[in-house]
Amino acid sequence: MSDLLYSEEEEALRRAVRDLLADRCDAATVLARAEAPAAEGPHDRELWKALTEGMGLAGLLVPEELGGQGATHREAAVVLEELGRAVAPVPYLTSAVVATEALLACGGSEAAELLSALAAGRTVGALAVGLATAPGAPFQDVRHDAGALHGELTGIADAAGADILLVPADDGALYAVHTAQDGVTVTPRTSLDLTRPLAAVTFEAAAARELTRGADAAVRRGLRAGAALLASEQLGIAEWCLTETVRYTKERHQFNRPVGSFQALKHRLAELWLEVVNTRAAARNAADALAADSTDADVAAALAQAYAAPVAVHAAEEALQLHGGIGMTWEHPVHLYLKRAKADSIAYGTAGRHREALAELVDLQAP
């Protein structure tokens, strides 16, 4: 049985990422980024550069021979916990996890070239499949005709900041498309979560390079990794909400007592602590199953997402309420966590969709 405790190396990685985020991604910085003009882009480029070129984190899942770190999903999960704790506006999940996993399923020189570029961090990739698509669910594609792509895809996370899109087509292949070329239009859409923007992408005779004839397998591998490791991001969100709420209820006084000393609030926070602890176990199990290429990886991913999404939303809602309403002001960061938790709750499949998938995987018949 795998050890789900954090290793010394993983804790060292956590400290390094947390220190960097404390310096460059505090709440005021994230809010300023959310208010920045569209011309500056949806992501914090300087933070992304520090995480990728400075620390090499974009290449954790990329083999060393392709310029990556050759690490595992466990280390990537630790990074996502910290990025979730800071609601960092960077495309780590979409580029360094989902797009990278899809490319790893492709094989071939084209995919290897792109993996090296993504590992270096100077190129950002995105899988052009709607963010709400669950692993195993049908997904949209576009028409491929005479070496070019035609059509529109919607709900693509981080497409507005991507350099390369991985696009499934109706001929069953997966193609790579540069977003800066003629024939590609990326139109930002209004997103609940401003730190992970969505966009629609239109292809009008856009030139494309074929990556694999098996788009289905590549897309499903990318989505499964996204769903499994999203649980670690949700864990980070929930932990921040719990920690900050406990701190606040110790400081705020009513009737000459800290409000956190009231029994009703103690019970609510204790229940939330249990939910967070259980979420950590589910998220670590999912990351470890992917790292070990376990035959139970599908079960672990579905279980993690079925549990983590409601907990992150519950933690953010409790934080908002127990902060006495101040969390709904723009200046307080709680609304950032609530929006990220809400958006994450439908990313890569809802909790209900994952419960249905889990029931099928373990052959649990409905009553």
Side-chain angles (χ1 to χ4, degrees):
M1 184 176 180
S2 299
D3 183 359
L4 299 184
L5 298 177
Y6 298 100
S7 66
E8 291 185 8
E9 290 78 12
E10 289 166 351
E11 290 293 0
L13 174 62
R14 178 195 306 285
R15 287 193 295 274
V17 177
R18 186 176 294 188
D19 288 346
L20 176 67
L21 293 174
D23 289 340
R24 304 196 182 194
C25 189
D26 57 15
T29 302
V30 177
L31 286 168
R33 166 55 48 187
E35 295 177 312
E40 294 185 16
H43 301 130
D44 187 332
R45 295 178 183 176
E46 291 303 315
L47 176 60
W48 179 248
K49 185 177 180 180
L51 289 167
T52 57
E53 296 181 32
M55 300 181 69
L57 299 182
L60 284 181
L61 298 179
V62 178
E64 291 181 84
E65 58 268 26
L66 297 179
Q69 303 296 319
T72 72
H73 301 80
R74 290 175 59 116
E75 286 79 15
V78 170
V79 174
L80 280 165
E81 286 180 29
E82 296 309 309
L83 294 178
R85 198 187 309 275
V87 284
V90 292
Y92 191 84
L93 181 65
T94 49
S95 182
V97 175
V98 177
T100 295
E101 282 285 319
L103 286 170
L104 287 170
C106 293
S109 58
E110 292 279 359
E113 179 185 336
L114 284 178
L115 280 168
S116 298
L118 263 58
R122 291 186 291 275
T123 298
V124 174
L127 181 63
V129 173
L131 181 63
T133 307
F139 52 84
Q140 278 188 300
D141 55 27
V142 294
R143 182 168 59 87
H144 180 261
D145 185 21
L149 299 181
H150 309 259
E152 183 183 59
L153 298 172
T154 58
I156 311 303
D158 291 332
D163 305 297
I164 296 288
L165 294 175
L166 310 181
V167 187
D170 60 356
D171 62 352
L174 186 70
Y175 293 89
V177 179
H178 286 276
T179 56
Q181 71 185 44
D182 292 339
V184 180
T185 304
V186 178
T187 306
R189 300 300 191 199
T190 302
S191 307
L192 174 65
D193 176 15
L194 297 176
T195 60
R196 180 171 289 147
L198 303 178
V201 185
T202 304
F203 303 95
E204 297 177 343
R209 291 181 295 163
E210 181 180 306
L211 296 169
T212 176
R213 299 300 301 170
D216 189 71
V219 168
R220 292 184 192 288
R221 175 168 173 171
L223 295 180
R224 185 182 69 170
L229 296 192
L230 177 63
S232 293
E233 178 181 294
Q234 291 162 325
L235 170 62
I237 293 170
E239 285 187 331
W240 183 92
C241 291
L242 176 61
T243 301
E244 286 301 307
T245 305
V246 170
R247 182 190 61 76
Y248 178 77
T249 55
K250 286 180 177 178
E251 293 179 353
R252 186 186 174 197
H253 284 65
Q254 192 172 45
F255 307 118
N256 207 29
R257 292 174 54 188
V259 296
S261 65
F262 295 121
Q263 196 71 5
L265 298 193
K266 286 183 179 178
H267 286 172
R268 288 171 67 170
L269 291 170
E271 180 182 352
L272 189 57
W273 180 82
L274 287 173
E275 292 178 5
V276 171
V277 170
N278 290 333
T279 298
R280 182 181 298 112
R284 291 293 292 167
N285 181 55
D288 186 73
L290 288 181
D293 196 20
S294 168
T295 54
D296 289 333
D298 289 336
V299 172
L303 177 64
Q305 213 31 242
Y307 194 84
V311 170
V313 172
H314 182 217
E317 290 176 341
E318 287 287 73
L320 185 67
Q321 291 184 17
L322 297 182
H323 275 77
I326 65 171
M328 278 310 291
T329 64
W330 186 254
E331 291 79 10
H332 198 284
V334 166
H335 70 89
L336 293 172
Y337 290 84
L338 179 61
K339 291 169 183 173
R340 174 67 76 88
K342 288 281 190 182
D344 281 358
S345 69
I346 61 170
Y348 306 115
T350 64
R353 175 67 182 81
H354 283 285
R355 282 194 289 270
E356 292 175 359
L358 187 58
E360 293 176 5
L361 288 167
V362 300
D363 194 24
L364 181 64
Q365 303 298 321

